[in-house]
Amino acid sequence: MNNQELLGALVAAIAGGGIRVVDLSQPLRPSTPVIQLPPPLAPSQPFRIEEVARYDERGPAWYWNNISCGEHTGTHFDAPAHWITGRGLPNAHTDTIPPQLLIAPACVIDCAPEVEASADFLLEPARIEAWEAEHGRIPAGSWVLMRTGWSCREDPAAFLNASETGPHVPGPSVACMRFLVEERDIRGWGVEAVGTDAGQAFAFEPPFPAHNLLHGAGKFGLASLCQLDQLPPKGAVLITPPLKIENGSGSPLRVLALVAQA
């Protein structure tokens, strides 16, 4: 089969249902939770939508809106330039990332039972190696997605899950991120929570390893994913293009997964 036939077969499989398309994105709305930073750090603005015209005197034949939000709102993409460790890397912004890097296989590690027992659950290398013993080694250039069930929390306060001691949200340990970046050479790391780090990661060394280590190595992040239970542990393909914002650090996006039907 040549490349043209291969593309034709892919299109036919999607149209015929042999390959299922799963939407891993949360809808953007004014109530979409945004990560909260303590003063004096500058906050990100919530999502806003303002009607411009809707088949009326403002525009008799069309409907459209003005929208505004921070780059890291809702289901969003983190580019390497989002973190200080990635600021000097080539192709580190949303408009310069080579597009072929935005389509990649995905490995899904199901941590939902552990997160049910503890909101502060941390994924460790031993848990990843146990997953690999069952499903095979994580291929280089893959997304690793941490399934937690966190996206089922529809109340914004429960989703952010903050107390006087800070957010309590599952995520990766420092050792986990070192392992995935240095020993597995992943394409990126994705989670169901508001950000790619654990809620208590401000106290880690280094702080915020999913940002610090991941972006320092030129890798990508995905946050506020959903429907990860619709993906197999291995074999899905993610399509993850952020908006092409000049010098952008990230953007909301619609993450799509291609899943082969049994």
Side-chain angles (χ1 to χ4, degrees), residues 41-110:
L41 300 176
S44 179
Q45 297 298 314
F47 178 77
R48 292 185 173 91
I49 184 167
E50 178 187 20
E51 190 173 277
V52 177
R54 191 162 188 158
Y55 327 120
D56 53 24
E57 67 280 358
R58 300 168 298 172
W62 54 88
Y63 166 54
W64 56 358
N65 301 294
N66 287 323
I67 61 171
S68 66
C69 64
E71 291 174 321
H72 302 268
T73 302
T75 302
H76 65 269
F77 183 99
D78 290 349
H82 176 44
W83 213 249
I84 192 169
T85 51
R87 65 177 177 176
L89 297 178
N91 303 322
H93 298 84
T94 53
D95 60 326
T96 59
I97 294 170
Q100 66 270 20
L101 298 183
L102 302 173
I103 302 175
C107 298
V108 182
I109 300 177
D110 185 3

Side-chain angles (χ1 to χ4, degrees), residues 56-182:
D56 53 24
E57 67 280 358
R58 300 168 298 172
W62 54 88
Y63 166 54
W64 56 358
N65 301 294
N66 287 323
I67 61 171
S68 66
C69 64
E71 291 174 321
H72 302 268
T73 302
T75 302
H76 65 269
F77 183 99
D78 290 349
H82 176 44
W83 213 249
I84 192 169
T85 51
R87 65 177 177 176
L89 297 178
N91 303 322
H93 298 84
T94 53
D95 60 326
T96 59
I97 294 170
Q100 66 270 20
L101 298 183
L102 302 173
I103 302 175
C107 298
V108 182
I109 300 177
D110 185 3
C111 303
E114 293 95 331
V115 172
E116 182 69 25
S118 172
D120 288 317
F121 172 77
L122 298 179
L123 182 63
E124 298 284 0
R127 179 71 174 78
I128 299 172
E129 290 176 324
W131 182 95
E132 289 184 319
E134 183 176 358
H135 302 290
R137 184 183 174 96
I138 294 170
S142 295
W143 283 96
V144 174
L145 309 180
M146 183 180 179
R147 183 192 165 208
T148 59
W150 205 259
S151 58
C152 294
R153 295 181 172 226
E154 296 182 356
D155 176 64
F159 187 76
L160 296 174
N161 202 37
S163 71
E164 65 279 358
T165 57
H168 294 274
V169 178
S173 71
V174 174
C176 171
M177 291 316 305
R178 288 198 189 281
F179 178 81
L180 292 175
V181 169
E182 297 174 5

Side-chain angles (χ1 to χ4, degrees), residues 7-51:
L7 283 175
L10 173 63
V11 171
I14 293 172
I19 293 177
R20 185 164 50 97
V21 181
V22 181
D23 188 348
L24 304 183
S25 314
Q26 301 274 9
L28 276 174
R29 53 172 70 100
S31 61
T32 294
V34 178
I35 196 165
Q36 302 296 306
L37 300 177
L41 300 176
S44 179
Q45 297 298 314
F47 178 77
R48 292 185 173 91
I49 184 167
E50 178 187 20
E51 190 173 277

